[in-house]
Amino acid sequence: MNFANFIPAILGILGLSSFQEKDGKKSLSDKERETLKGYGFTDRFLDDFAKALNDPAPPAEPSKDKQDAAIKVIL
């Protein structure tokens, strides 16, 4: 999942312009996590999202083989 797409929405929900930094890394505070849980976000999503905040690598593009296999399954 590309969590970068969620960053603007999460910031909007929390009423923030940026995430706090702790030890040079962006993070979610306990209060922010609880607020997001109140909106229905799961612990797993929040854990994965928090990790993705500091992951500089872009999501991998699906390979041509995987795309072809998916198309064959659909057809």
Side-chain angles (χ1 to χ4, degrees):
M1 179 179 293
N2 184 356
F3 289 98
N5 293 333
F6 289 96
I7 291 174
I10 300 291
L11 287 170
I13 290 169
L14 296 171
L16 302 173
S17 60
S18 64
F19 292 102
Q20 68 180 0
E21 289 197 21
K22 185 176 183 181
D23 299 325
K25 293 186 176 186
K26 297 176 185 175
S27 64
L28 291 171
S29 70
D30 291 339
K31 182 179 178 183
E32 292 165 347
R33 287 180 69 91
E34 288 304 314
T35 299
L36 294 170
K37 282 178 160 181
Y39 283 100
F41 290 96
T42 65
D43 283 324
R44 180 178 174 160
F45 175 89
L46 294 173
D47 290 342
D48 291 344
F49 180 78
K51 288 177 189 173
L53 282 175
N54 295 293
D55 184 9
E61 291 295 321
S63 70
K64 179 76 171 138
D65 292 336
K66 288 182 181 179
Q67 289 175 341
D68 289 344
I71 291 171
K72 287 178 185 176
V73 168
I74 292 170
L75 298 176

